[in-house]
Amino acid sequence: MVASAIFITDLTGKPLISRNYRGDIPLTSAIEKFTSYLLEVEDEVKKPVFHVDANGDFLGSEDVGCTGAGGETFVYVQHNNLYLCGVTCKNSNVALMLTYLYQLTSLFQDYFSTLNEESIRDNFVIIYELLDETMDHGLPQSLDSTILRQFITQEGNRMADDSKSKPPVALTNAVSWRAEGIKHKKNEIFLDVVEKINLLVAASGTVLHSEINGAVKMRSFLSGMPELKLGLNDKLMFEASGRSNQARAGKSVELEDIKFHQCVRLARFENDRTISFIPPDGEFDLMTYRLDTHVKPLIWVEAVVEPHRGSRIEYMIKTRSQFKSRSVANNVEISIPVPPDVDSPSFKSSVGNVTYLPDKDCVVWTIKQFHGGREYLMRAHFGLPSISREEVDGKGSGGGGSGGGGGGGAGMDTSWKKPIGVKFEIPYFTVSGIQVRYLKIIERSGYQALPWVRYITANGDYQLRMA
């Protein structure tokens, strides 16, 4: 990426602050072109990346790839009442420019809490310092607020003495995400394996779609510069280390779409599947992964709806936990859709609480603790209006006070029958079977650290269609 300049404007394109890094474009002219784009181009046609040719004409989508010689390319993002824009006259990496602008937005928010036009006007000095430190001659540098805060403070005392004027070692170090000299009274690290299940079940009971999205989250409170090694029951790791028997025995999982935090040594992982890293201090996501596999519904819900034309509608909801009895699902919420015109709700359940939410047209059955291998029943009864909207509008199939309401009869409107949604969280349990085999902590001083590991399975987009 080579960015010629970065500038920030309000929603009308009026410039608030700018920085010209390379001097290869006339900055005032570039800002005027950006303002013209905002004012002249229709909102539905605007794109976050556009090109202005040497004649000052905006190139439309049909001209992509035909930019020719000269002109500038603009890349911008909107945040609150601001536009953050980068401009280049080179063949730059646009995706990297967008990433820089989004991270710059997060950096400003970290410094000023709220990023808007007022906070920009109140913090010109610090913003100029941040623009200078986060980009050098158009090339992005460190945007880690933890590192930048060590030598760019809100009071602007960066030049108080000679030692403070020097950038911290972490800025030029290979380990830019961790400062040196960190000390904790108690050395601990907490590791959470969190898996969320996306599930869609047809009215017939067939699983139409299922996948697991997992994340290994860590909170590190370790002194010094520790080296950590994490071992999982990864199928490819077993095969690479010659333990194919364990891989075939079903004690391993095959992870897909793995994404690591920047602290992980990717070359080491590609070579022998070892996850080796120096962790940042505090909370971070070490890795995320996905498993596109068949998942049996952990919490099954069946709904029997009995409409009585023109008078009432009754529900019988049966739910069953399909996991081992030693596990417990906490804070289970089952959302059952109901017609929008029901009234007089009454409920009877074998466990938990039932609430009618008229603003969402649904009933929520809450079960605080749902043990494995259990089955519960809930009945709901609603009244219906005696005259349907179709009959009031003269569109009904016939007269008579017994005409159906929103939930009645064979001709009832079923557009309200959205899928049943389920929310839950099961601690000490993973659907995929992933396990942390070891977590080794190595530090030069040789201190003893306590690793804590926890497993959690929760709902993602978990839906069961009603019959």
Side-chain angles (χ1 to χ4, degrees):
M1 166 190 168
V2 176
S4 300
I6 299 290
F7 56 87
I8 302 174
T9 74
D10 61 16
L11 293 181
T12 63
K14 182 181 177 182
L16 301 175
I17 193 168
S18 60
R19 181 71 170 87
N20 196 340
Y21 292 103
R22 299 177 60 84
D24 54 0
I25 62 166
L27 183 56
T28 304
S29 173
I31 295 175
E32 289 174 353
K33 291 175 183 176
F34 179 71
T35 303
S36 299
Y37 181 81
L38 294 179
L39 299 177
E40 296 175 12
V41 178
E42 297 292 334
D43 288 343
E44 57 269 15
V45 183
K46 287 177 183 173
K47 297 188 178 347
V49 181
F50 66 92
H51 186 82
V52 181
D53 65 15
N55 298 322
D57 297 326
F58 304 120
L59 298 188
S61 57
E62 67 276 4
D63 299 316
V64 171
C66 307
T67 56
E72 297 98 23
T73 299
F74 293 79
V75 181
Y76 70 95
V77 298
Q78 181 181 354
H79 183 83
N80 292 336
N81 57 351
L82 299 172
Y83 285 114
L84 288 81
C85 183
V87 58
T88 179
C89 58
K90 305 288 185 182
N91 185 17
S92 299
N93 185 335
V94 171
L96 188 55
M97 290 180 70
L98 280 169
T99 302
Y100 171 82
L101 292 174
Y102 278 117
Q103 291 193 4
L104 187 66
T105 302
S106 300
L107 179 64
F108 287 160
Q109 285 180 286
D110 191 56
Y111 266 84
F112 316 134
S113 297
T114 302
L115 179 59
N116 53 31
E117 186 176 342
E118 184 179 354
S119 62
I120 294 291
R121 296 185 186 279
D122 292 343
N123 294 281
F124 275 137
V125 175
I126 285 191
I127 291 173
Y128 274 120
E129 287 189 78
L130 291 172
L131 289 174
D132 282 341
E133 294 298 338
T134 56
M135 187 169 285
D136 184 13
H137 198 58
L139 300 172
Q141 306 298 309
S142 174
L143 286 114
D144 190 329
S145 61
T146 305
I147 305 302
L148 291 169
R149 277 186 179 278
Q150 296 181 31
F151 65 104
I152 297 180
T153 65
Q154 292 221 346
E155 293 73 30
N157 295 326
R158 190 163 78 108
M159 301 297 291
D161 58 61
D162 188 59
S163 63
K164 289 185 179 179
S165 67
K166 297 177 181 178
V169 177
L171 190 63
T172 54
N173 191 8
V175 188
S176 61
W177 55 87
R178 185 181 180 90
E180 291 190 347
I182 295 175
K183 291 184 180 179
H184 292 282
K185 290 184 179 179
K186 190 175 183 180
N187 292 293
E188 294 180 303
I189 187 159
F190 299 87
L191 187 151
D192 288 346
V193 180
V194 182
E195 291 189 341
K196 293 190 174 182
I197 302 174
N198 295 335
L199 187 77
L200 179 61
V201 181
S204 61
T206 306
V207 176
L208 300 176
H209 170 72
S210 65
E211 69 173 5
I212 302 168
N213 290 323
V216 178
K217 301 175 179 288
M218 301 191 85
R219 284 185 297 147
S220 171
F221 305 101
L222 300 175
S223 305
M225 196 69 73
E227 172 89 16
L228 273 65
K229 291 182 180 178
L230 175 67
L232 304 173
N233 58 335
D234 179 14
K235 182 177 181 181
L236 295 179
M237 189 272 292
F238 283 149
E239 292 175 351
S241 58
R243 286 177 282 180
S244 301
N245 290 336
Q246 284 182 272
R248 286 194 295 267
K251 299 178 181 179
S252 61
V253 294
E254 189 170 356
L255 305 178
E256 303 171 14
D257 296 344
I258 302 175
K259 181 182 177 183
F260 287 111
H261 186 274
Q262 61 174 332
C263 66
V264 176
R265 294 184 175 90
L266 295 180
R268 180 82 182 270
F269 180 77
E270 291 293 336
N271 185 40
D272 57 8
R273 305 288 287 189
T274 298
I275 303 174
S276 174
F277 59 99
I278 296 174
D281 195 50
E283 189 171 343
F284 66 101
D285 284 359
L286 178 68
M287 62 179 283
T288 59
Y289 60 90
R290 184 181 65 87
L291 282 170
D292 192 3
T293 181
H294 178 77
V295 178
K296 184 176 74 171
L298 296 178
I299 295 179
W300 182 261
V301 182
E302 294 179 20
V304 178
V305 184
E306 297 180 8
H308 300 270
R309 187 170 179 83
S311 57
R312 67 189 190 278
I313 185 170
E314 295 180 352
Y315 285 77
M316 187 184 75
I317 309 298
K318 183 166 66 174
T319 181
R320 182 172 66 252
S321 54
Q322 301 187 137
F323 48 87
K324 294 182 179 179
S325 58
R326 64 171 179 264
S327 297
V328 180
N330 296 326
N331 303 317
V332 177
E333 289 186 7
I334 303 172
S335 300
I336 304 106
V338 298
D341 54 355
V342 297
D343 54 33
S344 308
S346 64
F347 310 106
K348 185 177 181 182
S349 62
S350 56
V351 69
N353 300 314
V354 187
T355 308
Y356 170 50
L357 302 179
D359 56 327
K360 296 182 179 179
D361 294 327
C362 73
V363 171
V364 178
W365 182 11
T366 305
I367 303 173
K368 193 170 183 180
Q369 288 193 320
F370 200 156
H371 290 264
R374 300 286 180 87
E375 185 173 295
Y376 298 117
L377 198 66
M378 186 269 287
R379 290 183 181 273
H381 179 280
F382 294 94
L384 286 169
S386 58
I387 301 176
S388 70
R389 184 187 307 167
E390 288 79 5
E391 289 172 334
V392 171
D393 294 340
K395 298 177 183 177
S397 56
S402 62
M412 64 178 286
D413 177 18
T414 59
S415 61
W416 57 269
K417 280 195 173 183
K418 301 174 183 176
I420 296 172
V422 184
K423 295 181 180 179
F424 60 88
E425 186 175 282
I426 308 175
Y428 317 112
F429 174 79
T430 58
V431 183
S432 67
I434 190 173
Q435 292 180 355
V436 176
R437 296 172 49 247
Y438 60 82
L439 179 59
K440 297 178 181 178
I441 304 168
I442 305 166
E443 215 278 331
R444 283 181 299 179
S445 62
Y447 61 71
Q448 294 296 315
L450 297 173
W452 303 90
V453 180
R454 182 173 61 169
Y455 301 94
I456 300 172
T457 293
N459 65 285
D461 187 11
Y462 193 105
Q463 297 183 337
L464 301 95
R465 290 177 179 169
M466 294 179 65

